[in-house]
Amino acid sequence: MDINQIRQLYLDHFTEHGHQIIDRAPLVLNDDATTLFTGSGMQPLLPYLLGADHPAGDRLVDVQPCLRSQDIEEVGDNRHTTFFEMLGNWSLGGYFKDEQIRFAWDFLVNKVGLDPARMYVSVYSGDQSLEISPDDESAQVWHELFSAAGVSTDRIDLVTEERGNAEGSGGARICGYRDKNWWSRGGGPETMPVGDPGGPDTEIFYYFPQVEHDKSYGEHPHPNSDGGQYLEIGNSVFMQFQRTENGLSPLPRRNVDFGGGLERIAAAAIDSPDVYRVGTLAPIVSRIEELSGRAYDDDTEAMRVIADHVRGAVFLIADGVRPSGKEHGYVLRRLLRRAIRFAHAIECFDGTLESVADAAIDAYAAAYPTLDAARTEILGVLAKEERQFRRTLGKGLRELRRLGKESRPLSGADLFTLYERFGFPVELAAEEANRLGVDLLAGWRADFDTAMERQRQMSRASSTLGT
């Protein structure tokens, strides 16, 4: 099933169950200073999860583009992206665990067609020290659904990811975790920010037997491992608590917040552990293959980085972000320069960003017509940024290699020189140093930040003198 079909199928499925479709939020939330970008579907809905009435009612559904810049260095494997689409449905004080789990099952198994024998789930194992009980209610609903489908329902409480890595799950269908199955914006129940909602969650994973478990993530596989065999495709959060100065307090009403990774569900639907094979990313990768004259299977990491970063940049520019040295603009510039760096490595030269972005807009235009409407502007921004960075990229790389031959660890001052003279983002310089096997001095980041602050002070002083 194609990813565009799944997107529409999801909206149809939940409108059939009385949900109202709400508009997507922009990637930059001007009224939320806690984060640079919209990183989940629940962010714009936080006031309603805390008790306010939503104008569209108490059953909502949407597809929300998200961007998580903190994942930028994870991009390159088969599952991580900075930009992604999140399927979301909410109940604001209405249905709860039983109905939500059945809604999710019906969509994934009966609508998308996923094999229930390859689905595994996790539930909250409880915390005795905080007097929070295990989520036996969710486990029982999963038991009923799997049993009706003729699938075994063994259960194990691993409690921690570390224990799972050391012992494995033994193929258990339902796994209990403590920290992994409590959702809040600040971690477990004891570290939630005061005022924030949270609660236990139940996650859904799809199993890929064709993938060899990566033991660098632990000796044994289990659903909540990053070893590669299990891919998380959805998470139902049962928000029933709010953190106060005195601990956890029940919310005025219990809420459901479901988030499903559209690309990951689409990958499961085509039995691929690689999200870059799905219908929106595959055409972008194909364009990179054409530009480079190379095959995806031979330069996988580079093509994944370019495809993800340019796609994310397209959506950011459409939502009004422009490359700069500050906040949102800095992240956009970092995405673009990182994409150019990887393009340079596979011999994709001038015009790469425009061409790849053109393919990205084509892939998403049907679902997001504003991208097509802004195509000329988007491509113009990318062309200008690429021209500027290409001028100094080669010089910066040569300087970094020269410094690397001096048989000494590089300092923060060295990286600041690369930034100041060649516009080389510090994160990109650090990545490239690691790629070249060049050591960095301990504390290099603090030294770089000190040099940056000194430059800002000099700039402010110069500006004051000139007024």
Side-chain angles (χ1 to χ4, degrees), residues 63-360:
V63 180
Q64 175 63 49
C66 299
L67 194 133
R68 293 182 180 172
S69 58
Q70 63 268 35
D71 289 342
I72 189 169
E73 292 176 9
E74 303 294 331
V75 176
D77 64 14
N78 65 349
R79 63 184 66 195
H80 284 97
T81 58
T82 57
F83 175 89
F84 58 95
E85 291 180 87
M86 183 170 283
L87 307 177
N89 67 268
W90 294 269
S91 168
L92 305 176
Y95 62 83
F96 205 48
K97 295 180 181 180
D98 184 274
E99 284 181 273
Q100 168 56 29
I101 292 172
R102 295 180 191 277
F103 283 155
W105 174 278
D106 188 27
F107 170 67
L108 293 171
V109 174
N110 299 323
K111 301 294 177 63
V112 178
L114 299 189
D115 182 358
R118 291 174 60 183
M119 289 169 56
Y120 291 77
V121 299
S122 62
V123 297
Y124 184 59
S125 65
D127 192 325
Q128 292 183 348
S129 66
L130 297 173
E131 299 183 346
I132 306 176
S133 302
D135 188 3
D136 294 330
E137 182 181 351
S138 292
Q140 179 59 33
V141 179
W142 285 121
H143 170 76
E144 293 172 8
L145 290 168
F146 280 118
S147 296
V151 178
S152 64
T153 57
D154 294 344
R155 178 178 175 180
I156 185 173
D157 281 332
L158 293 171
V159 182
T160 66
E161 182 180 10
E162 289 74 22
R163 180 179 171 188
N165 292 338
E167 301 177 11
S169 61
R173 187 71 49 181
I174 304 170
C175 294
Y177 299 88
R178 185 179 59 223
D179 295 342
K180 286 288 185 177
N181 281 98
W182 180 277
W183 189 94
S184 81
R185 294 195 297 178
E190 69 283 355
T191 60
M192 289 170 57
V194 172
D196 264 20
D201 64 42
T202 180
E203 300 178 352
I204 307 167
F205 302 84
Y206 204 69
Y207 177 64
F208 292 95
Q210 65 268 41
V211 176
E212 182 179 354
H213 172 66
D214 184 350
K215 290 190 175 182
S216 66
Y217 292 97
E219 186 65 23
H220 299 286
H222 61 104
N224 237 320
S225 163
D226 282 329
Q229 290 189 328
Y230 295 89
L231 181 68
E232 182 191 344
I233 59 174
N235 183 12
S236 295
V237 179
F238 304 116
M239 291 190 181
Q240 57 192 101
F241 299 103
Q242 184 175 21
R243 180 75 179 180
T244 69
E245 296 286 358
N246 300 318
L248 296 179
S249 177
L251 283 167
R253 63 190 182 199
R254 301 185 306 178
N255 305 311
V256 169
D257 166 25
F258 173 78
L262 176 57
E263 290 94 341
R264 293 184 175 196
I265 293 171
I270 61 173
D271 193 21
S272 171
D274 185 354
V275 299
Y276 291 85
R277 301 284 188 185
V278 305
T280 45
L281 277 163
I284 306 174
V285 170
S286 293
R287 178 63 56 84
I288 301 168
E289 288 182 308
E290 293 171 10
L291 292 170
S292 65
R294 303 188 185 200
Y296 173 64
D297 288 337
D298 295 331
D299 289 285
T300 309
E301 180 187 15
M303 294 193 187
R304 286 171 175 168
V305 170
I306 299 165
D308 169 75
H309 289 6
V310 174
R311 175 183 65 159
V314 163
F315 275 84
L316 283 174
I317 296 168
D319 275 3
V321 181
R322 295 294 180 268
S324 73
K326 295 181 179 180
E327 296 185 331
H328 309 93
Y330 175 78
V331 174
L332 173 57
R333 176 161 284 168
R334 186 182 173 201
L335 287 171
L336 295 177
R337 291 187 172 185
R338 198 166 187 262
I340 294 168
R341 170 67 192 94
F342 276 88
H344 185 84
I346 59 171
E347 299 181 318
C348 286
F349 300 118
D350 294 343
T352 296
L353 294 186
E354 282 184 272
S355 183
V356 175
D358 212 35

